[in-house]
């Protein structure tokens, strides 16, 4: 199953939980007074991210479709001594991004960091996907949502000449796993958009990252994702799931603390526009970047591309 999770051999150390370099408590001075907007903040990675930014001293704006979830997260953020605001929002609703961004900017003056975390998944054979609207909704949540919120926050970030946009993606978009065709396609699209937007936004002071959060089991992303009808009809899908499920062993703090560090550590901006694997030691990757080791043929490493003869 590793071939679906680690796309190439590497000497960079790997982690499944948080580690010293990404400890969010290091960044209280850097993030004090800054504001982060997190989509899908009610549970799992989004909730952990909200709490990590609270530890780092940022104002935290939490978005979710379920108000009771973000209300609870907002209270947890406040218990850590940080400011919080909570907004119910469906990221696929065209009317929502501008409304939400305006509300947060009106309250805090700016949005310094955007974490496009809201997502949903689908695991199915295409043969047994009887309602195309189901996988298409996965495409809309994972592709339209991040692009729409990026579009909404960009004018303010450009006006201030600073900002960070993190798109939560997946290793399944840079490898070729079966049965994730809608999810992987949407995430690959966001990775490519991140690469391209970096060329436009980095000269204006805005950093962008496409971040694989690791294979985290403690998340609602996969709830209801498996097409049970396909599972009954295709034995290969059942075999794949038995092999795939044990790979979900990474902890929520790993991506959450990685996101904080990408926003707070000025040196990490060397990685802007690239794919970042939360499981790889970020300090080691940064040192490699400083030595110029990420640059190679074409656009270099950590980019989504097609190699040709």
């Amino acid at each position: 199953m590793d071939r679906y999770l680690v796309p190439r051999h590497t000497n960079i150390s790997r982690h499944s939980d948080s580690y010293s370099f990404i400890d969010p408590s290091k960044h209280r001075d850097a993030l004090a007074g800054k504001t982060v907007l997190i989509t899908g903040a009610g549970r799992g990675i989004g909730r952990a991210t909200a709490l990590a930014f609270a530890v780092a001293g940022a104002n935290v704006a939490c978005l979710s479709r379920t108000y009771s979830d973000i209300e609870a997260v907002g209270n947890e953020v406040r218990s850590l001594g940080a400011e919080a605001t909570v907004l119910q929002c469906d990221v696929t609703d065209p009317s929502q991004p501008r409304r939400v961004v305006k509300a947060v900017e009106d309250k805090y003056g700016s949005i310094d960091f955007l974490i496009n975390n809201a997502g949903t998944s689908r695991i199915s054979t295409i043969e047994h996907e009887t309602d195309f609207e189901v996988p298409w909704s996965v495409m809309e949540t994972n592709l339209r949502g991040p692009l729409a919120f990026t579009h909404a926050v960009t004018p303010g970030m450009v006006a201030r000449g600073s900002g960070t946009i993190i798109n939560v993606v997946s290793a399944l978009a840079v490898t070729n796993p079966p049965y994730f065709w809608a999810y992987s396609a949407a995430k690959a699209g966001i990775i490519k958009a991140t690469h391209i937007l970096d060329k436009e936004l980095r000269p204006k002071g805005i950093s962008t990252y496409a971040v694989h959060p690791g294979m985290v089991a403690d998340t609602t992303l996969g709830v209801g994702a498996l097409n049970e009808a396909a599972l009954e009809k295709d034995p290969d899908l059942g075999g794949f799931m038995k092999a795939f499920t044990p790979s979900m062993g990474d902890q929520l703090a790993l991506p959450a603390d990685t996101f904080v560090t990408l926003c707070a550590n000025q040196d990490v901006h060397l990685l802007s526009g690239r794919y970042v694997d939360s499981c790889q030691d970020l300090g080691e990757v940064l040192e490699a970047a400083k030595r110029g080791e990420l640059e190679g043929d074409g656009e270099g490493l950590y980019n989504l591309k097609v190699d040709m003869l």
Side-chain angles (χ1 to χ4, degrees):
M1 197 55 58
D2 279 354
R3 68 186 184 278
Y4 298 129
L5 307 180
V6 184
R8 65 191 302 146
H9 174 72
T10 175
N11 292 319
I12 299 291
S13 302
R14 296 187 67 81
H15 301 275
S16 61
D17 204 346
S18 190
Y19 52 100
S20 177
F21 185 79
I22 60 171
D23 181 352
S25 65
K26 293 179 177 180
H27 302 301
R28 293 193 66 86
D29 291 340
L31 297 190
K34 303 290 187 180
T35 299
V36 59
L37 174 62
I38 306 167
T39 70
R43 303 177 186 178
I45 293 172
R47 172 182 170 273
T49 300
L51 299 182
F53 272 95
V55 168
N59 305 319
V60 184
C62 303
L63 274 60
S64 175
R65 288 184 301 178
T66 307
Y67 186 79
S68 58
D69 288 344
I70 49 171
E71 184 179 37
V73 173
N75 288 333
E76 288 184 276
V77 167
R78 296 181 192 104
S79 74
L80 294 170
E83 289 285 331
T85 189
V86 298
L87 294 162
Q88 189 172 18
C89 173
D90 180 347
V91 299
T92 66
D93 183 337
S95 68
Q96 295 302 298
R98 288 190 181 277
R99 176 189 71 83
V100 166
V101 167
K102 184 179 186 303
V104 176
E105 289 180 335
D106 285 349
K107 180 170 184 177
Y108 295 114
S110 67
I111 295 172
D112 301 284
F113 317 118
L114 169 65
I115 314 296
N116 280 314
N117 169 71
T120 186
S121 187
R122 183 65 169 171
I123 310 169
S124 177
T125 59
I126 194 168
E127 174 188 0
H128 302 108
E129 194 66 271
T130 57
D131 183 1
F132 183 72
E133 292 305 311
V134 175
W136 184 246
S137 69
V138 171
M139 295 285 289
E140 285 202 317
T141 300
N142 292 302
L143 186 58
R144 180 190 180 112
L147 290 177
F149 270 89
T150 296
H151 179 253
V153 302
T154 295
M157 289 184 175
V158 170
R160 292 187 303 276
S162 65
T164 300
I165 298 169
I166 293 176
N167 295 314
V168 181
V169 294
S170 174
L172 303 182
V174 295
T175 54
N176 297 300
Y179 312 118
F180 285 89
W181 49 277
Y183 176 79
S184 294
K187 293 298 188 181
I190 288 299
I191 294 171
K192 192 63 178 178
T194 303
H195 297 335
I196 292 170
L197 286 170
D198 178 64
K199 298 180 184 304
E200 174 185 343
L201 297 179
R202 196 194 314 198
K204 299 177 181 179
I206 302 167
S207 298
T208 60
Y209 307 94
V211 184
H212 167 52
M215 304 303 291
V216 179
D218 192 11
T219 175
T220 57
L221 176 69
V223 174
L226 180 62
N227 183 346
E228 297 291 345
L231 184 65
E232 290 180 7
K233 295 175 181 178
D234 193 319
D236 289 341
L237 176 55
F240 174 84
M241 291 305 299
K242 287 180 181 179
F244 183 79
T245 303
S247 70
M248 308 288 287
D250 298 322
Q251 303 302 306
L252 289 168
L254 180 64
D257 294 357
T258 297
F259 301 155
V260 171
T261 304
L262 288 171
C263 291
N265 186 320
Q266 295 300 309
D267 289 344
V268 175
H269 293 177
L270 281 173
L271 305 177
S272 179
R274 298 183 189 264
Y275 172 88
V276 175
D277 183 346
S278 291
C279 297
Q280 286 196 313
D281 188 287
L282 189 59
E284 293 181 20
V285 174
L286 178 58
E287 289 304 312
K290 289 178 179 178
R291 294 191 298 267
E293 294 178 12
L294 304 193
E295 305 302 331
D297 294 336
E299 294 184 329
L301 303 180
Y302 299 90
N303 277 269
L304 188 67
K305 59 185 184 296
V306 174
D307 292 321
M308 301 179 70
L309 291 173

